[in-house]
Short mmCIF file of all heavy atoms in Angstrom, two decimals:
data_model
loop_
_atom_site.label_atom_id
_atom_site.label_comp_id
_atom_site.label_asym_id
_atom_site.label_seq_id
_atom_site.Cartn_x
_atom_site.Cartn_y
_atom_site.Cartn_z
N PRO A 1 -9.92 11.77 -7.68
CA PRO A 1 -8.66 11.32 -7.09
C PRO A 1 -8.71 11.30 -5.56
O PRO A 1 -8.14 10.40 -4.94
CB PRO A 1 -7.64 12.35 -7.59
CG PRO A 1 -8.21 12.84 -8.88
CD PRO A 1 -9.71 12.87 -8.66
N VAL A 2 -9.40 12.25 -4.97
CA VAL A 2 -9.50 12.27 -3.50
C VAL A 2 -10.27 11.06 -3.01
O VAL A 2 -9.88 10.40 -2.04
CB VAL A 2 -10.14 13.59 -3.01
CG1 VAL A 2 -10.43 13.53 -1.52
CG2 VAL A 2 -9.24 14.78 -3.33
N HIS A 3 -11.38 10.72 -3.67
CA HIS A 3 -12.16 9.54 -3.29
C HIS A 3 -11.31 8.27 -3.43
O HIS A 3 -11.39 7.36 -2.60
CB HIS A 3 -13.43 9.42 -4.12
CG HIS A 3 -14.46 10.43 -3.77
ND1 HIS A 3 -15.20 11.08 -4.74
CD2 HIS A 3 -14.88 10.92 -2.59
CE1 HIS A 3 -16.03 11.92 -4.16
NE2 HIS A 3 -15.86 11.84 -2.84
N ALA A 4 -10.48 8.22 -4.47
CA ALA A 4 -9.60 7.06 -4.66
C ALA A 4 -8.59 6.95 -3.53
O ALA A 4 -8.35 5.87 -3.00
CB ALA A 4 -8.89 7.16 -6.01
N ALA A 5 -8.01 8.08 -3.13
CA ALA A 5 -7.04 8.08 -2.04
C ALA A 5 -7.69 7.68 -0.72
O ALA A 5 -7.12 6.90 0.06
CB ALA A 5 -6.37 9.44 -1.91
N VAL A 6 -8.89 8.18 -0.47
CA VAL A 6 -9.61 7.83 0.76
C VAL A 6 -9.92 6.33 0.79
O VAL A 6 -9.75 5.66 1.82
CB VAL A 6 -10.90 8.67 0.90
CG1 VAL A 6 -11.79 8.14 2.00
CG2 VAL A 6 -10.55 10.14 1.16
N ALA A 7 -10.34 5.78 -0.34
CA ALA A 7 -10.65 4.35 -0.41
C ALA A 7 -9.38 3.52 -0.20
O ALA A 7 -9.40 2.52 0.51
CB ALA A 7 -11.29 4.01 -1.75
N ALA A 8 -8.27 3.94 -0.80
CA ALA A 8 -7.01 3.21 -0.64
C ALA A 8 -6.55 3.24 0.82
O ALA A 8 -6.11 2.22 1.36
CB ALA A 8 -5.93 3.80 -1.54
N LEU A 9 -6.68 4.38 1.47
CA LEU A 9 -6.29 4.48 2.87
C LEU A 9 -7.15 3.58 3.75
O LEU A 9 -6.63 2.90 4.65
CB LEU A 9 -6.39 5.93 3.34
CG LEU A 9 -5.96 6.20 4.78
CD1 LEU A 9 -4.50 5.83 4.99
CD2 LEU A 9 -6.21 7.65 5.13
N ALA A 10 -8.44 3.53 3.47
CA ALA A 10 -9.33 2.66 4.25
C ALA A 10 -8.93 1.20 4.09
O ALA A 10 -8.92 0.44 5.06
CB ALA A 10 -10.78 2.88 3.81
N ILE A 11 -8.59 0.80 2.87
CA ILE A 11 -8.16 -0.59 2.62
C ILE A 11 -6.85 -0.87 3.35
O ILE A 11 -6.69 -1.91 3.99
CB ILE A 11 -8.03 -0.85 1.11
CG1 ILE A 11 -9.42 -0.83 0.47
CG2 ILE A 11 -7.30 -2.15 0.83
CD1 ILE A 11 -9.39 -0.77 -1.04
N GLN A 12 -5.93 0.07 3.30
CA GLN A 12 -4.63 -0.12 3.93
C GLN A 12 -4.75 -0.24 5.45
O GLN A 12 -4.02 -1.00 6.08
CB GLN A 12 -3.71 1.05 3.57
CG GLN A 12 -2.28 0.71 3.49
CD GLN A 12 -1.45 1.87 2.99
OE1 GLN A 12 -1.73 3.02 3.27
NE2 GLN A 12 -0.42 1.55 2.23
N ARG A 13 -5.68 0.49 6.04
CA ARG A 13 -5.83 0.50 7.50
C ARG A 13 -6.75 -0.60 8.03
O ARG A 13 -6.82 -0.81 9.23
CB ARG A 13 -6.36 1.85 7.95
CG ARG A 13 -5.31 2.94 7.81
CD ARG A 13 -5.80 4.22 8.37
NE ARG A 13 -4.72 5.22 8.37
CZ ARG A 13 -4.90 6.49 8.66
NH1 ARG A 13 -6.09 6.93 8.99
NH2 ARG A 13 -3.89 7.31 8.63
N ASP A 14 -7.45 -1.29 7.14
CA ASP A 14 -8.36 -2.36 7.54
C ASP A 14 -7.54 -3.54 8.08
O ASP A 14 -6.68 -4.08 7.37
CB ASP A 14 -9.19 -2.79 6.34
CG ASP A 14 -10.15 -3.92 6.64
OD1 ASP A 14 -10.14 -4.48 7.76
OD2 ASP A 14 -10.93 -4.27 5.74
N HIS A 15 -7.79 -3.94 9.33
CA HIS A 15 -7.00 -5.01 9.94
C HIS A 15 -7.15 -6.34 9.21
O HIS A 15 -6.27 -7.19 9.29
CB HIS A 15 -7.38 -5.18 11.41
CG HIS A 15 -6.96 -4.02 12.24
ND1 HIS A 15 -5.64 -3.74 12.52
CD2 HIS A 15 -7.68 -3.04 12.84
CE1 HIS A 15 -5.56 -2.65 13.26
NE2 HIS A 15 -6.78 -2.20 13.48
N GLY A 16 -8.23 -6.54 8.49
CA GLY A 16 -8.42 -7.76 7.73
C GLY A 16 -7.93 -7.67 6.29
O GLY A 16 -8.11 -8.57 5.50
N SER A 17 -7.29 -6.56 5.97
CA SER A 17 -6.85 -6.29 4.60
C SER A 17 -5.69 -7.17 4.18
O SER A 17 -4.84 -7.56 4.98
CB SER A 17 -6.44 -4.83 4.47
OG SER A 17 -5.89 -4.57 3.20
N TRP A 18 -5.64 -7.46 2.90
CA TRP A 18 -4.53 -8.19 2.30
C TRP A 18 -3.52 -7.22 1.68
O TRP A 18 -2.68 -7.62 0.89
CB TRP A 18 -5.05 -9.14 1.23
CG TRP A 18 -5.80 -10.30 1.81
CD1 TRP A 18 -7.08 -10.28 2.28
CD2 TRP A 18 -5.32 -11.61 2.00
NE1 TRP A 18 -7.43 -11.51 2.74
CE2 TRP A 18 -6.36 -12.37 2.58
CE3 TRP A 18 -4.12 -12.25 1.73
CZ2 TRP A 18 -6.23 -13.70 2.90
CZ3 TRP A 18 -3.99 -13.58 2.05
CH2 TRP A 18 -5.05 -14.29 2.64
N ALA A 19 -3.62 -5.95 2.03
CA ALA A 19 -2.73 -4.92 1.47
C ALA A 19 -1.38 -4.97 2.18
O ALA A 19 -1.04 -4.11 2.98
CB ALA A 19 -3.37 -3.55 1.63
N THR A 20 -0.63 -6.02 1.92
CA THR A 20 0.62 -6.25 2.63
C THR A 20 1.83 -6.39 1.71
O THR A 20 2.91 -6.76 2.16
CB THR A 20 0.51 -7.54 3.48
OG1 THR A 20 0.22 -8.63 2.61
CG2 THR A 20 -0.57 -7.42 4.54
N VAL A 21 1.65 -6.12 0.42
CA VAL A 21 2.76 -6.27 -0.53
C VAL A 21 3.24 -4.88 -0.94
O VAL A 21 2.45 -4.04 -1.37
CB VAL A 21 2.33 -7.08 -1.77
CG1 VAL A 21 3.48 -7.21 -2.75
CG2 VAL A 21 1.81 -8.45 -1.35
N PHE A 22 4.53 -4.66 -0.79
CA PHE A 22 5.13 -3.37 -1.07
C PHE A 22 6.27 -3.53 -2.06
O PHE A 22 6.90 -4.59 -2.13
CB PHE A 22 5.69 -2.75 0.22
CG PHE A 22 4.64 -2.53 1.26
CD1 PHE A 22 4.31 -3.54 2.15
CD2 PHE A 22 3.98 -1.33 1.35
CE1 PHE A 22 3.33 -3.34 3.11
CE2 PHE A 22 3.00 -1.11 2.30
CZ PHE A 22 2.68 -2.13 3.19
N THR A 23 6.55 -2.49 -2.82
CA THR A 23 7.72 -2.45 -3.67
C THR A 23 8.72 -1.50 -3.03
O THR A 23 8.39 -0.35 -2.75
CB THR A 23 7.37 -1.96 -5.10
OG1 THR A 23 6.39 -2.83 -5.65
CG2 THR A 23 8.60 -1.94 -5.99
N VAL A 24 9.90 -2.02 -2.76
CA VAL A 24 10.97 -1.22 -2.18
C VAL A 24 11.96 -0.93 -3.29
O VAL A 24 12.49 -1.84 -3.92
CB VAL A 24 11.65 -1.96 -1.01
CG1 VAL A 24 12.74 -1.09 -0.39
CG2 VAL A 24 10.62 -2.36 0.05
N HIS A 25 12.20 0.36 -3.53
CA HIS A 25 13.09 0.78 -4.61
C HIS A 25 14.49 0.97 -4.02
O HIS A 25 14.67 1.72 -3.07
CB HIS A 25 12.57 2.07 -5.23
CG HIS A 25 11.13 1.97 -5.65
ND1 HIS A 25 10.75 1.37 -6.83
CD2 HIS A 25 9.99 2.34 -5.03
CE1 HIS A 25 9.41 1.40 -6.91
NE2 HIS A 25 8.94 1.99 -5.83
N THR A 26 15.45 0.24 -4.58
CA THR A 26 16.83 0.30 -4.10
C THR A 26 17.75 0.71 -5.24
O THR A 26 17.34 0.74 -6.40
CB THR A 26 17.29 -1.07 -3.55
OG1 THR A 26 17.53 -1.94 -4.65
CG2 THR A 26 16.27 -1.67 -2.59
N ASP A 27 18.99 1.00 -4.90
CA ASP A 27 19.99 1.33 -5.93
C ASP A 27 20.24 0.15 -6.86
O ASP A 27 20.65 0.33 -8.00
CB ASP A 27 21.32 1.74 -5.28
CG ASP A 27 21.22 3.08 -4.56
OD1 ASP A 27 20.28 3.85 -4.85
OD2 ASP A 27 22.08 3.34 -3.70
N GLN A 28 20.01 -1.08 -6.38
CA GLN A 28 20.24 -2.28 -7.18
C GLN A 28 18.98 -2.73 -7.93
O GLN A 28 19.00 -3.73 -8.63
CB GLN A 28 20.73 -3.43 -6.30
CG GLN A 28 22.13 -3.25 -5.75
CD GLN A 28 22.17 -2.27 -4.58
OE1 GLN A 28 21.26 -2.25 -3.77
NE2 GLN A 28 23.21 -1.46 -4.52
N GLY A 29 17.87 -2.03 -7.76
CA GLY A 29 16.62 -2.40 -8.42
C GLY A 29 15.49 -2.50 -7.41
O GLY A 29 15.66 -2.26 -6.23
N ASP A 30 14.33 -2.86 -7.91
CA ASP A 30 13.14 -2.96 -7.06
C ASP A 30 13.05 -4.33 -6.41
O ASP A 30 13.40 -5.35 -7.00
CB ASP A 30 11.88 -2.72 -7.88
CG ASP A 30 11.79 -1.29 -8.39
OD1 ASP A 30 12.57 -0.44 -7.93
OD2 ASP A 30 10.93 -1.02 -9.25
N VAL A 31 12.57 -4.34 -5.16
CA VAL A 31 12.37 -5.57 -4.41
C VAL A 31 10.92 -5.61 -3.96
O VAL A 31 10.41 -4.63 -3.42
CB VAL A 31 13.29 -5.61 -3.17
CG1 VAL A 31 13.04 -6.86 -2.35
CG2 VAL A 31 14.75 -5.51 -3.58
#
């Protein structure tokens, strides 16, 4: 699990990454 978290963080911080889609949880549902 630690290796997975480290890999995910590296992808998220990579300036060329496509990791730009987020789920925002609201009282009216997910966006």
Side-chain angles (χ1 to χ4, degrees):
V2 172
H3 288 138
V6 168
L9 182 61
I11 291 167
Q12 211 174 35
R13 289 185 173 171
D14 179 355
H15 291 291
S17 174
W18 289 78
T20 59
V21 179
F22 300 87
T23 302
V24 181
H25 307 280
T26 74
D27 291 341
Q28 290 77 38
D30 293 348
V31 177

